[in-house]
Amino acid sequence: MIDFPRRHRVPYDGKFRLGDFDTDPPGDSGPEAKLESELKESVDRLDALQRRLFADERHALLAVFQAMDAAGKDSTIRKVFSGVNPAGFRVHAFGRPSELELRHDFLHRVVARLPERGKIGIFNRSHYEEVLVVRVHPEALAAQNLPGAGGPEFWDGRFESIREFERHLARNGTVIVKFWLNVSRKVQKKRLLERIEDPEKNWKFRLGDLDDRARWDGFQSAYEAMLRATSRPEAPWYAIPADDKDYMRAAVARILVETLEGIDPSYPRVGAAQREELEQGRKRLLAE
Ligand code: AMP
Ligand code: MG
């Protein structure tokens, strides 16, 4: 099996170059059927690992998903977590900030959605929009009404805030894993056209998505700067080729499995007092 984490992890040395990471799956990824069975195996393991995470209650897992429109964030999240107990995870999709949210610092709304220990939190978009869409659309930054906004130092400051925030979370038991679903401009066009042609996908189409598409190069350089500045050991980014959905899902699922295995959550040990309770319970039930 491919070593997905090693292959896709964005280096921590700040030297990431977009051109080094493909939108196509690697040549040795194997046929669709193999990827599907790998996904299935990971989905089952995620369920088992989530139960242990929940029982262990020492760590939370935060999984962040960022991508251009139609890269497959929603469907990847749906497929990868399809086998996990719904009580054990929560997905939050971050859209345009409200008036009230705009009046707070940019991490405020994110903090409110963080997973508690024992849970998995999934961010469909995240605080990273603050160095992506907000960087590419000057009007989005203007709406924040910030002192000293814009300019290289401003964005470096945002990266620093994000790194410190994530380090803080890591120190407090939250394991962070971040996925950039790397779709090509060509495949995005195909998927956006599908949204127009397929009546069941019409609801997903927004004309505004084409404005973001028109700023493709701006987004790509914003992604590059973001990945360089914020892939760190306590909160790594993974750049996942997104032109093939089977590969993308298998890769994301496998990286999540390995991340959770790294935590190695365990069921709490049964102490003497609880053993005594279990014994009493057995006696009472058997005596009925
Ligand atoms: P979607 O995820 O396709 O439903 O779209 C949500 C939209 O909200 C996207 O166009 C995002 O770029 C936008 N969005 C998310 N977070 C922010 C933010 N902090 N500031 C401005 N726009 C945002
Ligand atoms: Mg959209």
Side-chain angles (χ1 to χ4, degrees), residues 69 73-74 93-97 109 124-126 129-130 133-134 140 144 195 206 209 212 219:
D69 281 297
K73 293 192 299 298
D74 300 31
F94 288 92
R96 289 162 178 274
R109 69 174 182 163
N124 182 343
R125 304 186 190 273
S126 66
E129 291 291 327
E130 293 288 339
V133 69
V134 177
Q144 301 189 358
R195 291 184 176 182
R206 285 186 323 121
D209 293 349
D212 285 351
F219 271 101

Side-chain angles (χ1 to χ4, degrees), residues 49-175:
L49 283 159
Q50 182 277 328
R51 288 159 193 254
R52 280 161 52 192
L53 184 81
F54 185 75
D56 192 32
E57 237 177 43
R58 277 184 308 146
H59 293 278
L61 178 73
L62 175 63
V64 169
F65 289 84
Q66 285 293 156
M68 297 298 283
D69 281 297
K73 293 192 299 298
D74 300 31
S75 66
T76 299
I77 293 169
R78 187 173 73 242
K79 296 282 180 186
V80 167
F81 291 94
S82 60
V84 178
N85 178 358
F89 73 97
R90 191 167 57 188
V91 187
H92 186 73
F94 288 92
R96 289 162 178 274
S98 68
E99 288 288 320
L100 180 65
E101 284 169 347
L102 283 172
R103 270 185 253 138
H104 282 284
D105 77 278
F106 74 93
L107 293 173
H108 183 265
R109 69 174 182 163
V110 176
V111 171
R113 305 290 182 171
L114 289 170
E116 63 266 38
R117 271 184 273 281
K119 296 285 179 76
I120 298 175
I122 300 152
F123 285 178
N124 182 343
R125 304 186 190 273
S126 66
H127 44 300
Y128 283 100
E129 291 291 327
E130 293 288 339
V131 291
L132 295 169
V133 69
V134 177
R135 191 164 189 177
V136 175
H137 289 272
E139 71 282 6
L141 181 60
Q144 301 189 358
N145 214 16
L146 288 171
E153 274 153 43
F154 174 79
W155 298 112
D156 284 347
R158 275 215 163 162
F159 288 139
E160 196 179 324
S161 296
I162 291 175
R163 283 193 302 265
E164 285 173 355
F165 171 59
E166 293 180 349
R167 265 207 301 273
H168 166 75
L169 294 179
R171 279 195 295 267
N172 286 276
T174 299
V175 174

